[in-house]
Amino acid sequence: MGKLPAWLYKQFTQHIQVRLTCYFLLILLPLVAISLFANIRSQQTLEKQIGERTKGALTSAIEYVDLAMQNVDALSTQIASDQNLIKLLNRVGTDLTPGAILEFSHLMREVSNISAINPILSHISVLHAPTGMLVSSNFGGQQMENVQQYDWVRSSIEANGGNQLILPTKEEAEKYAKNDFNGLYSINNMSLVRAMDVYNQQRQPNLVIFTINRDTLLKLTSALLPSQKAQIYLYVGKKLVVGTSSNVLPPEWDDDNKDMLVKTSQDTGEQLSMIRAKSRQSNWSVVMVQPMEELRRETQQLQIFTIIIICISVLLAFWIAWVIYRNITSPLESLAHGMKQMRLGNLNIRLENNRKDQLGYLTGAFNQMAEDQLQLIQGHYEQELRMSKTELKFLQSQINPHFLYNTLDSIYWAAKDYDADEISEMVLNLSKFFRLSLSKGRETFTVSETIDHLHYYLRVQQIRFSEHFAVEYEVAEESRDVQVLKLLLQPVVENAILHGLEAMDRGGMLWIAARIEDDKLVLQVRDNGKGIPAERLHYIRSTLDKLKESPLKLTPFGEGSGGGDLFGLRNVAARMKMYYGDEAELVIEGEEGIGTVVTIRLPLDKCLEDTSGIA
């Protein structure tokens, strides 16, 4: 693992603020993902709807262009088959006589009248091939030389009356600039050419020419442009541009199966939306090109709002994590400091408490316990009590501060490993434990109360060790009301957890049993932890045997007197001897790697005696 991942893992495991922040961010992650997904989907939906509407409008436009061109085609057919005009052209010979000029003037008047009623036409021209005379509705008459040399003339004559579409290129316009057949070769025009007398196979090589300005066709679709940057392109076939609203050609359409594409402009590098509508009756098509930035402009504000909300949510996650951290960890640190002061003998320590929740209750219980401990010690020096009662109180007073410190320390470390809900449960169970421990000076509990008392402690430890062990209670019904010395089993259970089950990741099991056998109350604590090595077990047994044989002394048992596991057992054994006499037994059995069993046997007659006189 690298330095950075290792450092992050250390921060995550050792600091509850980091963990809370990560948890809040994990909660926000699905919301952020859904917001971004919804934003992208709305943008895609909007683009699709705009594309479909645009395609529908373009389809209507191309159908209108189709209709206009069909009208032009029908008009060309009408003129090409007009017998009066055909006879007029046939009466003109090969020479341009005055009579021929008169006939051409009648012809010009006819085509001018027809051109005037059709606004889409720029002008109509008729070419009389034998004389080379080109009669136009706009330009009058003009005699052309050697018209048969032009490819379009020959192809139109050979088309047997079919229409020929002429779209001059820039090169052709420059080539025929001086002789462009009255705008036929203008780059701005397109022309439909058809042979006259369409139904006569013996027709003369005369042509009728319909010239249309490309901009006129383009105006039929220019109203569809949604913005100045959008462009319209008219096509005949796949590549030939009929009209355009821009001098910049669009990217090539490289997928004929699609009518909507997104391409990148080679000139500007921006993404372009290309939408095409094809004519269902001809090979005409119209293409609209618009920058994608314009289509996405409507969703950009929503994207900005989404990003702002995400940023605010992340900042709130950090702030809430810090607030929760301060509200939980600060009182726990204060409690841990107070317990350390008590261990050093400062019983005048009092913690500031202005909270009303479980942590406030716990702080109040600590202050009450410190007050009780101070009064207990002061009462010891003020009264001349018997040595046995003094020793009993002295040993009893060791239990609560020692256990309270260890438990609060456990809660402190659990706060770094779990979130606020688990800490709340720990505090609640510990508060119940203290309340029962300090219950009006009573020195004995019933077995049922003892089991309840242990249950609160065990819940704290289970949460601390992430539920790595389970507990089972085996309490005989006849033993439930029997009185037993307060806090007699708690050090034994604590040893089983800290020295037996703590090292286990999972699968730990703790059994607590109570029953009556042979006029004795039998209390048993059994675990499947790491067990006790044989040498250590022998040492513990010999130490407890010496304690049973020697007289009791007012000497505190520190952690240096044999280890933490022996400290609790010596305390239990000493209290049993003072309270129950030599008939009480403490038996320890165990095997390394299998588990440990601690059995306490108490004389039943002394358990049933009235204990109210013990203070």
Side-chain angles (χ1 to χ4, degrees), residues 402-422:
H402 182 74
F403 161 69
L404 184 57
Y405 171 73
N406 287 338
T407 306
L408 288 177
D409 191 61
S410 299
I411 294 177
Y412 178 77
W413 287 108
K416 293 182 176 295
D417 295 331
Y418 298 91
D419 54 21
D421 292 336
E422 295 174 330

Side-chain angles (χ1 to χ4, degrees), residues 251-254 261-265 270-274 292:
E252 184 177 351
W253 200 284
D254 53 9
L261 294 177
V262 176
K263 302 293 290 291
T264 301
S265 172
E270 63 180 346
Q271 284 190 319
L272 302 175
S273 169
M274 300 178 64
M292 289 296 295

